[in-house]
């Protein structure tokens, strides 16, 4: 063995220092520098003896043979969509998300459905615990092997006997390798284990999915370099108190990052939600004031969501404004526009805004629906059934065009809406549509049309 070398690493950003200092000079965090043992020499690959060392030669682009890109179908339509059509052989995918959001459930569920041989490595739960979870999820495949192990060398040993078509590691923070002596979850362990797994994936053409913990500010725990090392970074998010979960891709070397998958957490695992608009809009036959439907686009998918507002007389001096799933600053801005342009005295009113389903939206195209919901609650007049909105509102009260309006209109039409409010300046590519397109240019026009 080579002699032991140590170095100091910032646990927040991964910067290396020759000696201990109180504040990281890179990310400015205090008390994050920790000494770690690094032994760079004597390191073996996951199976150095078998793979001959070959140096790559440069090739002209025209000389590179392109085999048809094979992708491993994960059966889960939402997961496939986010990946850009399935798992690419030899790729590393990192799935991050808050504790308890359903990362393990999602991956186990995929592992249990697939007809391929899968090795599910868990460093967090015992085989029994995983069995209990598997029993809830049901479709039990004969090809899914569960291994509870945290040492990479032992994992690779099992991999060479089982020869799986897919390896799932839950989670990268629990792994440790023999070649580094610091504790599991530390920056250098994570980096080293990830490097070993990447080598394994690339050399054996086996896709690997890693689960990553996230820190309290929502980034994946460990070095930022982890995100650079892997091919795809997915994020599983949602409000734990609600049933809907959103799977986003933050980075994807093999596809678009604009795609998004939606799941519903049920007693028997996660259900793919193929038609999200239908579940996000409540099926209420009564006319209720204070609700409006917005046609938004999340990623590449058009989505119809329900916005609820409650306007009531303020009890205390300063009126309360609170928004769930919508930017509070933007709400204040829209209220100021209403006050100035539409003559509503909202200054003495409490305004509460809620986007149903626990999802949060930052698409400006829901502005008009937010305003309509507020106006409807304020006047206690329900907005007619079958109306939806897709427009941004500017500071002058002007109704502004939004992106991908055609997609929004088509989605609204598909869901049986009869009228959609859009900006007069929005270019609409659709030749004909079965839905009435109401073009408006000012917020005053909308008020007149909706509430007479
Ligand atoms: P889990 O996959 O353990 O989360 P993570 O790995 O991201 O920490 O998810 C656990 C939560 O999901 C837990 O609160 C219970 C819930 N759950 C269900 O509602 N239904 C199910 O079928 C399963 C397996 C879990
Ligand atoms: Mg888990």
């Amino acid at each position: 063995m080579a002699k032991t070398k140590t170095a100091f690493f910032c646990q927040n950003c991964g910067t290396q220092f020759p000696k201990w200092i109180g504040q990281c000079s890179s990310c400015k965090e205090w008390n994050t520098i920790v000494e770690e043992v690094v032994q760079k020499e004597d390191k073996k690959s996951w199976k150095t003896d078998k793979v001959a060392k070959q140096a790559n030669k440069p090739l002209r682009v025209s000389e590179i043979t392109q085999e048809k890109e094979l992708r491993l179908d994960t059966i889960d339509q939402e997961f496939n969509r986010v990946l850009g059509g399935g798992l690419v052989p030899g790729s590393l995918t990192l799935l991050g998300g808050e504790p308890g959001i359903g990362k393990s459930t999602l991956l186990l569920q995929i592992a249990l459905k697939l007809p391929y041989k899968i090795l599910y490595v868990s460093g967090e739960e015992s085989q029994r615990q995983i069995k209990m979870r598997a029993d809830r999820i049901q479709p039990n495949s004969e090809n899914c092997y569960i291994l509870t192990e945290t040492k990479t060398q032992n994992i690779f040993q099992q991999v060479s006997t089982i020869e799986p078509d897919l390896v799932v590691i839950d989670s990268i923070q629990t792994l440790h390798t023999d070649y580094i002596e610091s504790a599991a979850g530390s920056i250098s362990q994570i980096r080293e284990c990830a490097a070993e797994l990447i080598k394994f994936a690339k050399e054996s053409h086996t896709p690997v999915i890693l689960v990553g913990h996230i820190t309290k500010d929502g980034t994946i725990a460990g070095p930022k370099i982890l995100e650079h090392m892997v091919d795809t970074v997915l994020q599983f998010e949602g409000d734990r108190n609600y049933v809907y979960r959103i799977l986003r891709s933050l980075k994807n070397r093999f596809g678009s990052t604009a795609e998004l998958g939606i799941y519903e957490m049920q007693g028997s695992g996660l259900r793919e939600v193929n038609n999200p608009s239908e579940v996000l809009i409540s099926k209420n036959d009564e006319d209720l004031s204070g609700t409006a439907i917005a046609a938004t686009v999340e990623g590449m998918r058009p989505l119809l969501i329900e916005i609820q507002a409650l306007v009531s007389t303020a009890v205390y001096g300063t009126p309360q404004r609170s928004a769930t799933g919508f930017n509070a600053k933007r709400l204040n801005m829209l209220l100021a526009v209403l006050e100035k342009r539409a003559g509503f005295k909202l200054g003495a009113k409490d305004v509460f805004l809620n986007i149903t389903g626990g999802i949060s939206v930052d698409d400006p195209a829901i502005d008009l629906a937010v305003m309509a919901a507020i106006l409807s609650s304020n006047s206690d007049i329900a907005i007619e059934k079958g109306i939806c909105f897709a427009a941004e509102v500017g500071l002058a009260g002007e109704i502004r065009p939004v992106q991908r309006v055609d997609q929004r209109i088509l989605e609204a039409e598909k869901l049986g809406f009869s009228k959609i409010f859009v900006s007069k300046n929005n270019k609409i590519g659709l030749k004909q549509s079965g839905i009435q397109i109401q073009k408006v240019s000012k917020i005053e026009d909308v008020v007149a049309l909706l509430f007479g």
Side-chain angles (χ1 to χ4, degrees):
M1 280 298 250
K3 99 171 187 293
T4 307
K5 276 204 255 168
T6 67
F8 294 81
F9 290 92
C10 171
Q11 297 287 303
N12 187 47
C13 67
T15 314
Q16 187 176 349
F17 297 96
K19 63 177 176 43
W20 191 85
I21 46 174
Q23 186 191 22
C24 172
S25 59
S26 168
C27 68
K28 306 288 181 240
E29 284 289 318
W30 287 93
N31 275 332
T32 54
I33 315 287
V34 174
E35 181 177 20
E36 295 188 2
V37 180
V38 208
Q39 283 177 349
K40 281 291 176 199
E41 283 85 7
D42 236 22
K43 204 172 65 181
K44 292 197 197 89
S45 108
W46 67 284
K47 48 170 189 181
T48 15
D49 43 345
K50 287 190 196 154
V51 182
K53 276 226 156 63
Q54 275 182 338
N56 277 336
K57 273 191 271 161
L59 288 178
R60 291 190 190 92
V61 175
S62 57
E63 287 171 348
I64 302 172
T65 50
Q66 195 194 13
E67 294 153 27
K68 196 179 167 307
E69 195 185 318
L70 278 171
R71 286 192 188 243
L72 196 93
D73 181 3
T74 61
I75 303 197
D76 187 314
Q77 292 312 317
E78 301 292 298
F79 201 67
N80 276 349
R81 183 207 312 272
V82 177
L83 288 170
L87 283 165
V88 175
S91 69
L92 235 82
T93 305
L94 178 65
L95 174 68
E98 288 193 12
I101 204 76
K103 302 180 293 296
S104 310
T105 307
L106 176 66
L107 293 180
L108 185 65
Q109 184 173 324
I110 289 170
L112 290 175
K113 260 198 265 171
L114 282 179
Y116 315 105
K117 219 190 256 179
I118 292 160
L119 182 64
Y120 184 99
V121 184
S122 179
E124 302 195 335
E125 287 154 300
S126 67
Q127 276 163 322
R128 279 232 197 122
Q129 278 175 306
I130 298 170
K131 168 78 178 151
M132 266 162 58
R133 190 192 297 249
D135 286 342
R136 286 176 80 172
I137 299 172
Q138 279 294 304
N140 264 337
S141 139
E142 284 302 303
N143 295 314
C144 181
Y145 293 81
I146 309 289
L147 172 69
T148 45
E149 180 59 71
T150 54
K151 197 158 114 184
T152 54
Q153 280 74 19
N154 294 350
I155 294 173
F156 292 134
Q157 209 179 348
Q158 295 305 325
V159 162
S160 51
T161 47
I162 295 178
E163 297 189 333
D165 299 305
L166 169 67
V167 178
V168 176
I169 309 270
D170 188 1
S171 63
I172 181 81
Q173 278 84 6
T174 56
L175 289 193
H176 68 97
T177 168
D178 269 351
Y179 302 113
I180 298 245
E181 280 160 25
S182 57
S186 64
I187 303 277
S188 45
Q189 279 290 5
I190 293 177
R191 187 167 41 201
E192 209 45 47
C193 294
E196 283 177 21
L197 286 165
I198 287 178
K199 208 159 180 319
F200 157 71
K202 303 284 176 231
E203 283 170 9
S204 65
H205 298 286
T206 310
V208 177
I209 305 180
L210 305 173
V211 169
H213 293 166
I214 63 170
T215 58
K216 62 176 184 293
D217 56 357
T219 54
I220 290 170
K224 191 76 188 164
I225 195 167
L226 183 60
E227 283 159 67
H228 290 291
M229 287 163 92
V230 300
D231 300 300
T232 306
V233 181
L234 306 180
Q235 184 159 318
F236 207 32
E237 55 188 45
D239 193 321
R240 252 192 297 165
N241 301 322
Y242 289 93
V243 290
Y244 298 107
R245 304 278 186 271
I246 295 180
L247 185 68
R248 275 179 212 284
S249 116
L250 303 181
K251 164 185 172 178
N252 193 349
R253 288 193 181 141
F254 315 108
S256 146
T257 53
E259 289 291 0
L260 141 148
I262 300 178
Y263 293 90
E264 183 183 350
M265 183 58 100
Q266 295 184 329
S268 54
L270 291 153
R271 183 182 72 89
E272 300 167 34
V273 179
N274 296 320
N275 195 349
S277 302
E278 272 176 11
V279 292
L280 291 173
I281 297 174
S282 60
K283 290 166 197 65
N284 205 330
D285 287 334
E286 289 163 51
D287 283 343
L288 295 175
S289 68
T291 65
I293 309 291
T296 173
V297 172
E298 269 286 323
M300 298 286 274
R301 286 170 93 173
L303 200 68
L304 267 81
I305 53 166
E306 185 173 324
I307 291 165
Q308 298 184 320
L310 178 68
V311 178
S312 64
T313 311
V315 185
Y316 304 107
T318 327
Q320 288 189 64
R321 265 80 215 263
S322 116
T324 315
F326 188 70
N327 187 329
K329 280 193 187 137
R330 188 132 193 117
L331 172 64
N332 281 330
M333 189 205 94
L334 295 179
L335 289 173
V337 172
L338 276 182
E339 185 110 43
K340 176 108 178 161
R341 305 285 161 190
F344 285 91
K345 297 276 169 283
L346 287 161
K349 304 265 188 183
D350 288 340
V351 178
F352 302 96
L353 194 80
N354 179 34
I355 295 184
T356 53
I359 60 168
S360 69
V361 180
D362 49 13
D363 180 8
I366 71 169
D367 284 358
L368 190 57
V370 168
M371 283 186 150
I374 293 169
L375 291 171
S376 159
S377 174
N378 189 47
S379 60
D380 204 15
I381 300 174
I383 294 172
E384 230 177 275
K385 282 242 157 329
I387 293 185
C388 62
F389 305 87
E392 187 183 334
V393 181
L395 286 180
E398 83 278 20
I399 310 296
R400 304 172 62 98
V402 294
Q403 286 184 333
R404 304 219 207 103
V405 71
D406 296 351
Q407 250 184 308
R408 300 176 203 254
I409 294 173
L410 285 174
E411 179 74 6
E413 187 187 337
K414 202 170 86 190
L415 288 169
F417 281 83
S418 54
K419 196 193 253 186
I420 183 165
F421 280 69
V422 297
S423 163
K424 209 167 220 159
N425 303 321
N426 228 143
K427 275 220 180 72
I428 295 169
L430 297 173
K431 290 280 171 298
Q432 58 179 45
S433 62
I435 179 170
Q436 188 193 343
I437 299 171
Q438 179 73 55
K439 295 191 170 184
V440 281
S441 60
K442 289 194 309 256
I443 186 74
E444 293 91 318
D445 301 348
V446 181
V447 175
L449 282 167
L450 286 178
F451 309 106

